[in-house]
Amino acid sequence: MDIIEEFNHFIDESSEQEKEAMKLLLNSLKAKRENTNLTYIASLLQFKTTLLDENLLEMEMPNSPLLDNSLGIVHGGLTATLLDTALGTLASHVPGNKKGAVTVELKVDFLSPGIGEKFICRAEVVHNGRQLVRMEGKVRNEKGNLIASATGTFFKLPE
Amino acid sequence: MDIIEEFNHFIDESSEQEKEAMKLLLNSLKAKRENTNLTYIASLLQFKTTLLDENLLEMEMPNSPLLDNSLGIVHGGLTATLLDTALGTLASHVPGNKKGAVTVELKVDFLSPGIGEKFICRAEVVHNGRQLVRMEGKVRNEKGNLIASATGTFFKLPE
Amino acid sequence: MDIIEEFNHFIDESSEQEKEAMKLLLNSLKAKRENTNLTYIASLLQFKTTLLDENLLEMEMPNSPLLDNSLGIVHGGLTATLLDTALGTLASHVPGNKKGAVTVELKVDFLSPGIGEKFICRAEVVHNGRQLVRMEGKVRNEKGNLIASATGTFFKLPE
Amino acid sequence: MDIIEEFNHFIDESSEQEKEAMKLLLNSLKAKRENTNLTYIASLLQFKTTLLDENLLEMEMPNSPLLDNSLGIVHGGLTATLLDTALGTLASHVPGNKKGAVTVELKVDFLSPGIGEKFICRAEVVHNGRQLVRMEGKVRNEKGNLIASATGTFFKLPE
């Protein structure tokens, strides 16, 4: 049975929630096709990035069934993924950084349940050292409720 | 255009990598259908869990294109998701814990690039307190190379 | 030989730096005598506390030979002691906290060498939960240079 | 009034606990005099170091009134000082490290109250990278009870 047949079978018996999940997955594949720089996970989680200035960035993640943990709130790992991506993206663009940066360590504090329509991560540079970039970030929902907070250390890749 | 048509169009023009990603996504939806306790993200990342004893658990995540970050290695956020899930699952099952546990904080140390066929997280209870469970975990690839290490604090949900 | 004799011998042969250290130690013992709530370490490190409002506190530590690490800058452990004391003091005084609070975990980021005449820690409440207080703090010298940054989790002692 | 007179006055009126503290302070000054590499804080806290092999070190801190926090247990900042010193000492001696290492970040988990006659920190190298050394350490009392646990990142000073 090929993938199209398999897919048709699955859709025939699918619930509304499954159809919605399927659409999200398909849309993410399309987004990735149009922007090959995008990773699958960023496209699945529908990250939208706004660089506010060279030390400040916002990254948004809309809520969707894909995000749920077993308690019906956003999976902490995905909040961590948003934070790692936002902090890492900004750390890769600090002045003087030519080759990007990799995460050395990330510490996430989960402050209140991940409930909301979307989650907005605000990332900030704390210290731009010679080889390390020290970052912090906060995740809020659309009402401004603080969901999570993080600090991270990033290592600048050598030129 | 309905989802089946949309899907057929997408497949017609898809690369081998896209077909592979599509299969992974479809399989994860099927896995989720068969086990509704499963979250979409756990099914997408194909986590497999083995409880070794009441203080020790292993969780495996096979590598796949879905895991790549923009440098072609496993996205740190997904390593964090594996760690949070493994540590949280074990923290939810410690003796005397009736209602599960939520993550208070997670600190991940990224030690070497996430390269390999699969990633195995070994989670351990460090301290099972009255309300907090303190955990640690290590992620290795199939060759035993240490990829990441984490500590986490979990709060037992009140009965 | 009793302690007074021993002390006289030590002073007779002491360098200026040793005399200065001796004075600091003696002054800290006197400070502790006058305020028995004070711990020896807080008196040795000459902490001065200002509660700015119920969510904000400043704690100062003047530099002294007692603070040096082997590289001639402030020992990271003492910066951590300042941070733990400042964050813990504020966490013990958040609204609704009757019995004080103990440190669950403290994560300190060392950002630049601890050089200066004095070190000022500004502690802030990030989230005052039912049982946990989540804190952050920054340490600057008298010129405003950022030396260290920390996050901490504190557990409210039950009434 | 000179320091000797001041000291005599203080001793005349001092309690037994004050005399004991005074002796500790004097002994630490003497220890520092004999070993000028020693820092005042390491001599005050009476650290004793044993290098077990190139990846493993033990550092002991005997209990004393100087260590008490306001609850009568060891001040978390001093447990952090023991951990930072032990991890940093070992990180400064890893193979290939010529110039020592400075702390990038230290995360301490406080697991049970710091009660005991002495506190033994066991430090271990987790990963010895090109520029970063990743460490972990555990603090136990003389009965083997786990008091605290830590992870730390250290930066090798350039030659």
Side-chain angles (χ1 to χ4, degrees), chain D residues 104-122:
Chain D
V104 171
E105 53 88 26
L106 183 76
K107 199 256 194 176
V108 185
D109 290 297
F110 297 94
L111 303 170
S112 57
I115 294 169
E117 286 167 30
K118 59 181 184 180
F119 305 102
I120 304 120
C121 176
R122 201 176 174 93

Side-chain angles (χ1 to χ4, degrees), chain C residues 47-133:
Chain C
F47 290 163
K48 259 176 256 166
T49 309
T50 317
L51 190 65
L52 297 174
D53 70 43
E54 66 185 28
N55 289 312
L56 199 60
L57 172 148
E58 263 185 24
M59 196 173 277
E60 252 189 61
M61 171 173 78
N63 205 346
S64 83
L66 297 185
L67 271 54
D68 280 2
N69 73 359
S70 53
L71 303 164
I73 55 177
V74 174
H75 192 296
L78 300 182
T79 308
T81 301
L82 173 62
L83 280 156
D84 185 42
T85 311
L87 273 59
T89 301
L90 185 53
S92 293
H93 288 91
V94 290
N97 192 353
K98 299 286 195 324
K99 289 282 184 182
V102 294
T103 317
V104 170
E105 54 87 26
L106 183 76
K107 198 256 193 177
V108 185
D109 289 297
F110 297 93
L111 303 169
S112 57
I115 294 169
E117 287 167 29
K118 59 182 184 180
F119 305 102
I120 304 121
C121 176
R122 201 175 175 93
E124 231 173 301
V125 179
V126 176
H127 191 260
N128 180 10
R130 216 162 47 85
Q131 304 198 260
L132 300 176
V133 193

Side-chain angles (χ1 to χ4, degrees), chain A residues 105-120:
Chain A
E105 53 88 26
L106 183 76
K107 199 255 191 179
V108 185
D109 289 297
F110 297 93
L111 303 169
S112 57
I115 296 168
E117 286 165 30
K118 60 182 181 179
F119 305 101
I120 304 121

Side-chain angles (χ1 to χ4, degrees), chain A residues 45 61-82 110 112-119 139 141 147, chain B residues 39 41 84 103:
Chain A
L45 301 180
M61 171 174 77
N63 205 346
S64 83
L66 298 185
L67 270 55
D68 279 2
N69 73 0
S70 53
L71 303 165
I73 57 178
V74 174
H75 191 296
L78 299 181
T79 308
T81 301
L82 173 62
F110 297 93
S112 57
I115 296 168
E117 286 165 30
K118 60 182 181 179
F119 305 101
V139 177
N141 67 10
I147 307 289
Chain B
T39 61
I41 190 71
D84 185 42
T103 316

Side-chain angles (χ1 to χ4, degrees), chain B residues 45-50 58-62 82 118-121:
Chain B
L45 300 180
Q46 306 173 68
F47 289 163
K48 258 176 255 165
T49 309
T50 317
E58 264 186 23
M59 196 173 276
E60 252 189 60
M61 171 174 78
L82 173 62
K118 60 182 183 180
F119 305 102
I120 304 119
C121 177

